[in-house]
Amino acid sequence: MKGILVFIEQREGKLNRVSYEAIVAGQRLAQTLSQEVSAVVVGFNISDIATEVATKQLSTVYSVEHELLSNYTPDGFALAMKQAVEQLEPLMVIFPHTYLVRDFAPKLAASLGKSMVGDCISYKYEDGRLRFVRQIFQGKINADVSITDTPPYFVSFQSGAYRGDDVITDGAAPIVRLEVTISPEQIRIKPLELFREAKQSVDLTQSKAIVAVGRGIKSAENIVIAEKLAAVLGADLAASRPICDNGWLPMDRQIGSSGQTVAPKLYVALGISGAIQHVVGMKNSSVIVAINKDANAPIFDIADFGIVGDLFEVVPALTEELQKLKEG
Amino acid sequence: MKILVCVKQVPSRDAILRLNETSQWIQERDIAYEVNEPDAYAVEEALRIKEKLGGEVVILSMGPERAQITIKDALAKGATRAIHICDPKLEHLDPLTQCRVMAEAIRREGFDLLFTGLQSDDNGFGQTGVILGELLGVPSATIAMAVEIQPDGKTVKVKRELESGWFQWYELPLPASITIQSGLNQPRYATLKGIMEAKKKPIQKLSAANLGFDEAALTPKQHVEKVYFPVKNKKTEIIEGSAKEAAAKLAAKLKEARALV
Ligand SMILES: Cc1cc2nc3c(=O)[nH]c(=O)nc-3n(C[C@H](O)[C@H](O)[C@H](O)COP(=O)(O)OP(=O)(O)OC[C@H]3O[C@@H](n4cnc5c(N)ncnc54)[C@H](O)[C@@H]3O)c2cc1C
Ligand SMILES: Nc1ncnc2c1ncn2[C@@H]1O[C@H](COP(=O)(O)O)[C@@H](O)[C@H]1O
């Protein structure tokens, strides 16, 4: 078993850019382990994507094309990748940790009797031993995980763990087609229409300032505390997912991977822990303020200013101070 | 319709976590626990289907003795009965090995629909429902925001959340494994009557040996060597003082940083 194989994600003939982050992870690991790195594209009518990927420094780009792979299904992709892995016998298969990968990669690994290490943020190589770093407990704690099984190893990296811009280019990798056999009855799941929900009524992407509430606010009635702060700041109100799930604020106020992505001048996070799915939606804000009673909350990793304390005491005081400033 | 719902007990979100003596996990003593968030939505979705179409909702949980509280809460909400896989040998398993154990219990039970949450708050594997589908030989769909059993009773339509605001409907033949995303319904609270009734509902306890897993079958495929608090990369300026003092300092700093608009 040798070589590192990077799974390139495409959907409807469009390359998902996070695939480049996975290539970077692959290129780094290949260097660490003195291995070659190649990539695999799965789908139908994907020659443009394979050609684009081949411009990166890779030993080979494999293309797995089949009519039954034209629409993504977990059944189809797991079957195709299983055959690719069996033919290529790589040491390691690397994925970007996307919704599509979450949907089929654990199935692929299990079909080969392997246990995948998912959603890693980095790796370490010391004394000839490889460990992958994953976040546990919602990003509050990191874990160094080693694989105690035989290869192939299946590993996915969280989006943002590597920078797509760091991909080594100047490649002219040969494109090699891999044959796979899939029959229609093996695809049990039928993809139907792809759609977006009705247009959102608030556009937070244009906000200059945002006050966002998280579960630390405890109940719908308490949101008024945040509203008062927002009013004095001239800010829009937003929320983490659980607040919208609970129906305390409408869905279109949600920030994060399944909500809006914003970059205001000021983002004030109240009682938000800072889970990666929230942070991806707001990390590019110019000034980030976090008020949280847990000093270890991951939100403090990205905040410019932080107050470790009870928001029910701090927020009214802050509102008052800002009001004073405003009145000069 | 027989629906099996996997429910995990995890440290409550507010719990202040400490590392254990060997720094291989957290200290499990002296913290509060609660149901893993999406699992609560999975239970609610299952109950609604049962109320509409009849059948039963069976809760499956693997975890220590304390998980009984979480199991009983699901029973109090209306689940029919429960299976509790409880054995110290089954703690801290890798995703595949954990699923092999759970799959064995599920296979013996049988089901039309298998629900799991999309991710656990503690391990955060995000893999369980998909692996269970594979091991049990049924199709799977992840990150469900709606689940609709079709009139033929043989297929289910699932609205999957995709990235950046996209969704897609999928159709799967039953039996199927579906991972549930938070927010697809409003979970109910247990009623007093429900809590009383739950006392009489059966909870079947299973061990590794009951399920035919010896030490060799539980050989880990992954090993958590060390856990630790992440080092913060960004220099966050933590503002100290009483709530009032800190608030005043912060207001001044924001003004200075021209962050006030
Ligand atoms: C596929 C997927 C997609 C997701 N998409 C999104 C998304 O788009 N947006 C999103 O936000 N999340 C999303 N999530 C959920 C995300 O993982 C977290 O669960 C969520 O962001 C947590 O919200 P929270 O910080 O409000 O709650 P918690 O994690 O419960 O944090 C509450 C915080 O409040 C603090 N607190 C409690 N009481 C007080 C007090 N009195 N004073 C001060 N602080 C207090 C606590 O210390 C804690 O840090 C997604 C998850 C998945 C798996
Ligand atoms: N020990 C367990 N007992 C019951 N259900 C579990 C267990 N571990 C995981 N699950 C289920 O699998 C889902 C995803 O967990 P994970 O794959 O660990 O992120 C959870 O939301 C639960 O529904």
Side-chain angles (χ1 to χ4, degrees):
Chain A
M1 304 250 163
K2 64 182 196 340
I4 291 173
L5 185 65
V6 180
F7 173 81
I8 304 295
E9 175 169 325
Q10 65 83 28
R11 234 187 149 108
E12 268 90 48
K14 265 189 68 184
L15 177 84
N16 186 340
R17 314 292 299 178
V18 292
S19 304
Y20 288 140
E21 297 177 13
I23 296 181
V24 174
Q27 289 176 334
R28 301 256 166 100
L29 272 159
Q31 200 167 32
T32 305
L33 303 172
S34 310
Q35 294 282 332
E36 289 196 330
V37 56
S38 47
V40 57
V41 190
V42 180
F44 191 56
N45 289 333
I46 47 174
S47 54
D48 287 357
I49 292 174
T51 310
E52 186 181 339
V53 173
T55 63
K56 312 301 166 204
Q57 205 176 81
L58 295 162
S59 59
T60 313
V61 173
Y62 296 99
S63 104
V64 178
E65 280 202 68
H66 197 292
E67 225 182 316
L68 290 169
L69 300 170
S70 62
N71 283 315
Y72 165 77
T73 60
D75 288 341
F77 272 50
L79 275 170
M81 276 298 288
K82 178 168 189 257
Q83 293 173 47
V85 169
E86 281 166 347
Q87 289 173 44
L88 300 173
E89 300 192 326
L91 178 67
M92 197 183 301
V93 188
I94 292 176
F95 302 85
H97 190 75
T98 60
Y99 281 30
L100 183 143
V101 164
R102 293 173 66 120
D103 195 57
F104 88 93
K107 176 179 168 66
L108 161 69
S111 75
L112 288 157
K114 299 295 164 191
S115 199
M116 162 159 162
V117 188
D119 207 7
C120 301
I121 54 169
S122 61
Y123 71 88
K124 296 176 181 171
Y125 189 70
E126 286 153 2
D127 310 322
R129 296 183 55 248
L130 187 60
R131 273 156 299 161
F132 295 96
V133 184
R134 325 185 39 243
Q135 295 178 311
I136 52 176
F137 294 96
Q138 295 261 307
K140 287 180 200 141
I141 293 178
N142 284 357
D144 289 353
V145 181
S146 56
I147 300 178
T148 49
D149 197 9
T150 51
Y153 304 144
F154 291 85
V155 181
S156 72
F157 283 96
Q158 189 170 93
S159 109
Y162 293 90
R163 285 168 37 113
D165 293 346
D166 291 343
V167 68
I168 308 173
T169 49
D170 302 331
I175 299 172
V176 175
R177 206 185 146 110
L178 293 182
E179 293 306 325
V180 293
T181 45
I182 307 171
S183 54
E185 67 279 4
Q186 288 177 299
I187 315 278
R188 297 162 294 183
I189 175 166
K190 198 156 93 194
L192 306 172
E193 71 269 38
L194 184 68
F195 62 99
R196 268 173 187 271
E197 297 285 66
K199 187 123 183 65
Q200 308 196 305
S201 58
V202 262
D203 181 9
L204 296 170
T205 61
Q206 303 302 318
S207 304
K208 292 211 165 51
I210 288 177
V211 170
V213 288
R215 207 195 316 249
I217 200 81
K218 298 283 187 309
S219 74
E221 295 74 58
N222 293 335
I223 289 179
V224 61
I225 303 170
E227 267 165 356
K228 285 185 183 151
L229 176 63
V232 61
L233 284 170
D236 290 311
L237 201 60
S240 65
R241 180 163 187 135
I243 301 301
C244 304
D245 285 348
N246 285 335
W248 297 351
L249 280 175
M251 281 293 181
D252 51 16
R253 298 270 164 184
Q254 183 176 311
I255 304 295
S257 61
S258 44
Q260 302 200 43
T261 301
V262 297
K265 238 174 122 177
L266 177 65
Y267 191 94
V268 185
L270 307 177
I272 291 179
S273 61
I276 175 73
Q277 296 90 359
H278 184 80
V279 167
V280 293
M282 46 66 76
K283 61 170 190 256
N284 292 326
S285 308
S286 313
V287 175
I288 298 171
V289 175
I291 299 172
N292 195 303
K293 68 173 184 191
D294 178 6
N296 282 319
I299 192 78
F300 287 123
D301 199 18
I302 58 149
D304 297 283
F305 299 109
I307 296 181
V308 180
D310 184 348
L311 74 90
F312 296 106
E313 293 172 22
V314 177
V315 177
L318 181 61
T319 308
E320 200 180 307
E321 293 299 331
L322 288 165
Q323 188 63 41
K324 275 196 236 159
L325 270 187
K326 215 167 147 184
E327 286 158 7
Chain B
M1 193 76 33
K2 180 168 179 180
I3 311 174
L4 218 134
V5 188
C6 296
V7 171
K8 190 177 195 188
Q9 189 189 48
V10 295
S12 76
R13 301 267 185 143
D14 262 8
I16 302 291
L17 303 179
R18 289 185 191 81
L19 307 185
N20 71 6
E21 294 74 18
T22 57
S23 283
Q24 281 180 308
W25 199 243
I26 58 156
Q27 228 170 69
E28 298 198 323
R29 275 173 277 122
D30 306 328
I31 55 171
Y33 289 87
E34 64 189 11
V35 60
N36 188 48
E37 182 163 53
D39 304 4
Y41 289 91
V43 169
E44 178 63 33
E45 199 60 22
L47 293 176
R48 289 186 187 189
I49 297 172
K50 181 187 89 161
E51 281 153 9
K52 216 165 116 188
L53 302 175
E56 57 172 345
V57 173
V58 181
I59 303 297
L60 174 89
S61 190
M62 182 152 104
E65 207 57 56
R66 58 173 157 74
Q68 290 268 333
I69 297 171
T70 302
I71 294 172
K72 285 198 174 125
D73 184 56
L75 293 176
K77 287 178 174 175
T80 322
R81 56 195 171 82
I83 302 164
H84 183 188
I85 307 174
C86 182
D87 191 328
K89 291 193 205 75
L90 300 175
E91 284 170 24
H92 307 299
L93 300 179
D94 65 85
L96 179 63
T97 309
Q98 164 182 300
C99 288
R100 282 183 169 159
V101 176
M102 290 169 68
E104 184 54 34
I106 297 169
R107 193 177 291 120
R108 292 179 184 188
E109 186 61 42
F111 64 95
D112 298 306
L113 257 184
L114 171 63
F115 283 167
T116 53
L118 83 165
Q119 194 160 326
S120 60
D121 272 0
D122 50 2
N123 284 325
F125 293 144
Q127 298 193 37
T128 302
V130 178
I131 299 177
L132 287 176
E134 173 64 24
L135 297 179
L136 295 162
V138 304
S140 57
T142 54
I143 323 198
M145 284 301 286
V147 177
E148 293 176 0
I149 308 290
Q150 296 306 289
D152 65 1
K154 293 193 186 110
T155 48
V156 58
K157 267 176 83 176
V158 178
K159 179 181 160 190
R160 290 192 56 220
E161 179 183 307
L162 306 181
E163 276 132 336
S164 25
W166 288 90
F167 294 88
Q168 187 166 16
W169 284 98
Y170 282 83
E171 196 177 86
L172 291 78
L174 296 176
S177 169
I178 296 169
T179 82
I180 301 290
Q181 167 67 299
S182 300
L184 88 168
N185 53 39
Q186 286 292 326
R188 70 194 65 188
Y189 291 101
T191 59
L192 193 60
K193 183 162 163 268
I195 294 168
M196 298 313 289
E197 280 172 6
K199 295 201 168 116
K200 287 173 267 153
K201 291 181 178 173
I203 303 176
Q204 182 192 8
K205 262 203 170 176
L206 294 173
S207 66
N210 292 154
L211 290 165
F213 282 80
D214 56 12
E215 216 169 302
L218 295 171
T219 310
K221 293 174 174 294
Q222 291 174 17
H223 176 58
V224 175
E225 299 198 351
K226 193 175 91 175
V227 303
Y228 47 95
F229 290 101
V231 229
K232 311 250 179 256
N233 324 313
K234 183 161 167 179
K235 272 231 74 61
T236 301
E237 189 175 341
I238 295 288
I239 300 168
E240 315 270 352
S242 69
K244 203 165 163 43
E245 288 158 10
K249 280 189 237 169
L250 175 60
K253 299 236 179 233
L254 290 179
K255 188 170 182 200
E256 204 179 305
R258 298 180 185 283
L260 302 179
V261 286

